[in-house]
Each structure stands twice: as structure tokens, then as C-alpha cells.
Amino acid sequence: MTFFHRLDDKQPLRGRLAMAVEYDGTAYCGWQRLKHSASVQASLEKAMSRVAAAPVSVMCSGRTDSGVHATRQVIHFDPPSPRSEKAWVFGTNANLPRDIAVRWVKPVADDFHARFSALARRYRYVILNRTSPPVLERHNVTWCRDPLDAGAMHRAAQALVGENDFSTFRAAGCQSTTPWRHLHFIEVNRYGPLVVIDVQGNAFLHHMIRNIAGALMSVGRGAQDEGHIARLLTLRDRTLGDVTAPAHGLHFVDCLFDESWGLPAEPLGPNLLAFLGEWSGERAVPDSPMAAYRRDRSRAANAAAALAAEEDGDA
């Protein structure tokens, strides 16, 4: 995918569509629609419904909490009215608030599901580590004025890699039926004043990354030794865990799908880290029964869709 491409304004898109959405979560209760507060989902569905001139309902790849940001939230929806690529992207953006934007839209097979077709999710937790607080980045980073040892944080974090019971790092109100998750990798690096926790897994528990980030910062400050994370993991008890890091430093930057879906690749966010030059989908997904099952389903669905299109062309 290039940075710029012409959006088609002639061909109406029919059938299931995938879409990527970017948002600043500062003003929202999170992704999911709630009656008592503004949500990203409600704002997006309202804007898309204006484009379609009919109600639109969307499904996301991963719900984000209050105050959490996203640069590649992938959704799917079944449009009630045919609209062109340009209409969906430009029309939706024209009706959205300035802190939410559509990046692209693409037709997919009817079996595509933003949540259940996903192989992995990736987040970046961004810490501004200096004595003075952030100004321009104040809504997008967590400020830590104590010197952090990123190397110690990285070494401590490696205890989390693999399939583990993350009970110590899940919120008390987490609704998941299991605390087990598969962490593909976690890296902690310093880039000047920025300390970045980069983590990918099959899925994440409520507050899991923020609880990991809080514990890692305790290691980085020197308040805890490098064995702190491994000890917390074995406790399997949130009441014995460390602090929860603030939401505004967390960014949902990638949702990985099998290549057969043909979703666009794009630079990973947030833009503060654009100099790293990494694009979506570059990190491998470890072999697992879940990944193999979802890859097989996606390839079968796309093969069936291609065959149907060929038969329609012959008719």
C-alpha cells in the first residue's frame, strides 16, 4: 500500500466490507457503545449511517478501554446500501469528529469477521521519560519523570512470552472466561526520551497491557528487581499485582489477518514512532491450533469467493 492512492468513486461496493479506523480515545469511554457516555463505535456508526442513508452496525477486531487510542482498528460491516470506496472513506470522515478517521475500506468475503478471523493484536505503550511533562504529546504518552532502565524492563518482560495464565495482570472486572493468553513477543526500547513497550499476542485481557506496563515501570525505576515480572506471573492473583499504568499511553497499532484476506498493509502507529519504519503484518504469528484453524478458514472462504466470482463472470 502506498501513502496515497486514488479512491474509486464509480463502482458501488456490495457485500461485506472491512475498514480500518484511527482514533484518539481521550474523549471516549472506549470503543464499545454505552448508554451513559460517548463511544468510538457510536460515533462511527452514526457517521456511516448518514453515508448509507440507513442504519449501519459494525464489529471491531478488539475493544479498547476508555482513553486508549488506535491507529489500525479493523472493523467489518454489511452495508445496507451500495456506496463507492470514495463515498465510504470521504463521506464517513466528513461526518466524524476530528478525533476519529477512516483510513481505508475494502471488499472481503462474507466469512470475514474482524474479531474471529484475527490471528493477533499488537499494542505499543509509549512513555515520555524526562523531568518536564509533555505538552504537545500530553494526550498520547504517559509521563514518567524518574529515570527508566529500558534494558532492565526488556529483560524482565521476557518472562511473559509464551502461553501463560495472566490472572495477576487482568482487571478485577475482566469478563473473559479464561486468563490464558499467548504472548508472541514483548520488547522494551528507548528512543531518546521515549521508552516504548511493544507487545503482540493472540488476544489481551481487560487492562492486561496497562498492568504489565505499570509493573515494568517499577522495574525500570529500580523499585523492583528484574525478577519482579516472573514472580507476579506465578502469583496468579491481581490483588498482589502492581499498579495500573494510565490509559493515554496505550495505542492499538495492528490487527493481523491471514494474507489471503488481502487487507492493506500500512505503517504502524502512532506517528510519534513513524521513524521506526515498520509496517503492519511484519511480525510473524507463532504456530498454534487457533492460528492454524483461522488461517484454514480464511483461505477456504477466499477460495470459495473467487470461484463464485468466476462463475458469475461466466454466466
Side-chain angles (χ1 to χ4, degrees), residues 82-115:
R83 297 289 186 267
S84 68
E85 179 188 22
K86 185 174 182 179
W88 281 120
V89 175
F90 282 10
T92 303
N93 283 338
N95 287 284
L96 282 169
R98 294 182 64 185
D99 49 10
I100 308 175
V102 171
R103 295 175 67 120
W104 50 259
V105 65
K106 185 184 185 303
V108 288
D110 290 342
D111 286 354
F112 177 84
H113 195 288
R115 179 182 174 191

Side-chain angles (χ1 to χ4, degrees), residues 50-73:
R50 288 181 176 175
V51 175
V56 175
S57 178
V58 305
M59 176 66 69
C60 73
S61 55
R63 292 181 295 179
T64 52
D65 296 334
S66 176
V68 175
H69 318 296
T71 55
R72 186 179 163 91
Q73 170 70 271

Side-chain angles (χ1 to χ4, degrees), residues 4-155:
F4 301 95
H5 74 283
R6 183 179 179 85
L7 298 177
D8 180 77
D9 61 354
K10 304 296 185 185
Q11 182 66 39
L13 301 180
R14 293 178 171 84
R16 182 155 294 185
L17 301 178
M19 178 182 280
V21 184
E22 177 176 352
Y23 51 87
D24 180 330
T26 304
Y28 301 96
C29 64
W31 163 265
Q32 188 173 11
R33 177 191 293 273
L34 295 175
K35 293 181 179 180
H36 66 270
S37 187
S39 69
V40 178
Q41 181 183 11
S43 295
L44 182 63
E45 289 178 341
K46 181 179 179 181
M48 295 172 69
S49 297
R50 288 181 176 175
V51 175
V56 175
S57 178
V58 305
M59 176 66 69
C60 73
S61 55
R63 292 181 295 179
T64 52
D65 296 334
S66 176
V68 175
H69 318 296
T71 55
R72 186 179 163 91
Q73 170 70 271
V74 176
I75 68 168
H76 81 258
F77 65 103
D78 297 315
S81 312
R83 297 289 186 267
S84 68
E85 179 188 22
K86 185 174 182 179
W88 281 120
V89 175
F90 282 10
T92 303
N93 283 338
N95 287 284
L96 282 169
R98 294 182 64 185
D99 49 10
I100 308 175
V102 171
R103 295 175 67 120
W104 50 259
V105 65
K106 185 184 185 303
V108 288
D110 290 342
D111 286 354
F112 177 84
H113 195 288
R115 179 182 174 191
F116 297 121
S117 298
L119 303 176
R121 284 92 176 165
R122 183 170 174 182
Y123 286 81
R124 284 172 167 173
Y125 194 90
V126 185
I127 305 163
L128 182 66
N129 189 212
R130 68 182 191 192
T131 54
S132 59
V135 177
L136 300 181
E137 309 90 354
R138 63 190 180 278
H139 298 305
N140 304 108
V141 301
T142 290
W143 175 47
C144 179
R145 64 185 178 186
D146 301 320
L148 294 176
D149 183 341
M153 294 168 67
H154 175 78
R155 292 188 294 273

